[in-house]
Every structure is written in C-alpha cells, then in structure tokens.
Amino acid sequence: MTRFSAPAGRVAFKHLALALAAAASLAGCQMPGLTPPPQQTAALPPPAVPKPPPEARGIWIVGSPALRGTVDQAAAKYTGGPDTKPHLDARGTASGFRAFCGGVGLDHPDMVASDRPIGAAEYQRCRSAGITMTEYGFGPKRFVYVKDSHMMAVPGVNDFVASWGQPGKPVSAPTAGS
C-alpha cells in the first residue's frame, strides 16, 4: 500500500486549529498578574457613626458638612443648657441618613442635616425602622430632618427645633427618582 502525505495546507490548518483550541482553553484560566481585580458589586456601608458618650450626647445631628454653618448658626442662637448642646457629626449625607434611619432612642441620631431631599430608598429604610420625621428647609439644598419620636423624648430637641422659628412639614414617601 502506498501512503500519501497530507497536503501542506491541510497540516497547517490542523496546527492552526490545535493552537486556537489551546488558546480558547487557556482563556478561562487565571494567570497571576493578568487578571483584573474583582469588581465590587454591592455598595459597602460607610463606617458606623460613633455614638457620643452619654455626658456629651446633647442633640445628636449627623449628615452633610455643607450644613455645618447652618447648624452652627442655629446652635449659637439656641439657649439650652450644656447637656442639650447640638453636635454635628458631618460625615456626609448618605452616611447621615444611614445612621439616622437606624432606629429611634438615645442610641441613634436625633436629626440629619442634608444637602438634598431624602431619597425613596432612605425613606423606606426609615419607615422600616418605625421612624416618622419632619422636614425643615433652610434654603435651596439645605434640609434638616428631625425624628418625630425624639421631639419630646430627647431633652432639648423640641426647644432647639422651636428656636429655628419656622414650620416643618411631615415627610411622606418621595418619588422613586428623588
């Protein structure tokens, strides 16, 4: 029997097919230094807002550093005692809403200073924790939200809010786009 060798083009095609198959199988392998870092898929919560010590608690406000001047001006006009002195922990609006919506009572902030209206997800988080609140506007992009339950239960909150001399409005569910 006489054997004929395959034409050169056919051999090259087989080698090309084997090379492509090897490349495809290696594409799924993770080579050190060649793979991108893993992508974060969910937002991590910000660091917890530290609870002030009981002797320095006063009126506990969290939120935007952009409202520090507004809060400081209101605190300067407030004539409450040293145990009701307002304190702003300005770590940001989102962090402030997360702490504010954590619950009611002395272990949670009384107010959140915000540079935007409350969002729908934040509102739902607050409602899930049993929180109702009142919104006070201090001009464009300046809001302070106060827990209704803290108005009478936490010393000084009601008097501090009254010192602003403006009416608040109950917060109802914002639209999904806010």
Side-chain angles (χ1 to χ4, degrees), residues 71-144:
V71 171
D72 288 348
Q73 287 175 355
K77 293 178 189 174
Y78 177 60
T79 57
D83 57 336
T84 60
K85 182 179 179 196
H87 299 282
L88 174 62
D89 186 355
R91 294 175 187 246
T93 299
S95 172
F97 273 119
R98 192 165 284 116
F100 179 78
C101 295
V104 295
L106 295 177
D107 289 338
H108 302 283
D110 307 310
M111 303 177 192
V112 63
S114 174
D115 54 6
R116 61 173 171 76
I118 189 169
E122 293 161 335
Y123 175 80
Q124 286 303 330
R125 196 175 308 122
C126 279
R127 293 298 298 159
S128 295
I131 297 169
T132 59
M133 67 197 96
T134 303
E135 175 187 276
Y136 294 86
F138 286 90
K141 297 187 176 187
R142 297 192 183 284
F143 304 92
V144 174

Side-chain angles (χ1 to χ4, degrees), residues 53-60 78 80-87 154-157:
E55 66 277 0
R57 186 186 189 286
I59 299 170
W60 187 9
Y78 177 60
D83 57 336
T84 60
K85 182 179 179 196
H87 299 282
V154 177
V157 171

